Amino acid sequence: MHIEAFREYCIAKKGVTEGFPFGADVLVFKVMNKMFALTALDRLPPQVNLKCDPERAIALRETYDGYIIPGYHMSKHNWNTIYLQQVPSILIRELIDHSYNLIVAGLPKKTRQALEDLE
């Protein structure tokens, strides 16, 4: 998956905004102001960080050894760094959905309702 496709998939999700809170080279995606994905635009090969269930994170790291690793500059328990061009695009989309859904599930009920009410 190319970084442009990653961005397009993330930004198309309901309630998502993008920005550069950590500087001009780190693109962050948030749902209802909570981060679920980020990428350092200057890193080659392209890499992204996504939140992940801890048990699933370990299994993914074992299966994609060297291509899915503990989150770079993130909580190693809850975040993975994924090399975009070495992991199948279908899995990357699934992991974006997983990260997004984890964040949404953790939102306060009122915020989740506001997300559902968005068109």
Side-chain angles (χ1 to χ4, degrees):
M1 175 178 280
H2 293 286
I3 197 72
E4 296 86 7
F6 171 80
R7 180 193 170 272
E8 288 171 11
Y9 192 80
C10 287
I11 201 68
K13 301 188 90 41
K14 192 175 199 175
V16 170
T17 58
E18 62 183 335
F20 294 90
F22 304 122
D25 61 337
V26 179
L27 179 58
V28 174
F29 298 91
K30 296 180 179 183
V31 55
M32 303 305 282
N33 210 34
K34 295 288 184 180
M35 181 171 59
F36 74 95
L38 70 144
T39 182
L41 298 173
D42 61 349
R43 292 191 60 94
L44 293 175
Q47 303 163 28
V48 298
N49 285 2
L50 297 168
K51 189 162 187 165
C52 191
D53 171 76
E55 289 181 19
R56 187 172 186 197
I58 291 168
L60 287 165
R61 293 171 194 167
E62 290 172 357
T63 303
Y64 293 91
D65 188 30
Y67 301 122
I68 298 180
I69 60 175
Y72 181 73
H73 284 299
M74 306 293 284
S75 165
K76 311 282 187 244
H77 186 69
N78 295 307
W79 289 82
N80 281 331
T81 295
I82 301 161
Y83 287 77
L84 282 181
Q85 296 173 343
Q86 283 78 24
V87 176
S89 294
I90 193 165
L91 177 60
I92 294 169
R93 286 189 293 274
E94 179 187 326
L95 293 175
I96 293 167
D97 293 343
H98 178 65
S99 182
Y100 176 91
N101 291 333
L102 283 173
I103 297 301
V104 170
L107 293 172
K109 185 176 181 180
K110 185 176 180 179
T111 307
R112 279 195 317 271
Q113 185 60 52
L115 176 62
E116 289 176 21
D117 292 344
L118 292 175
E119 296 203 17

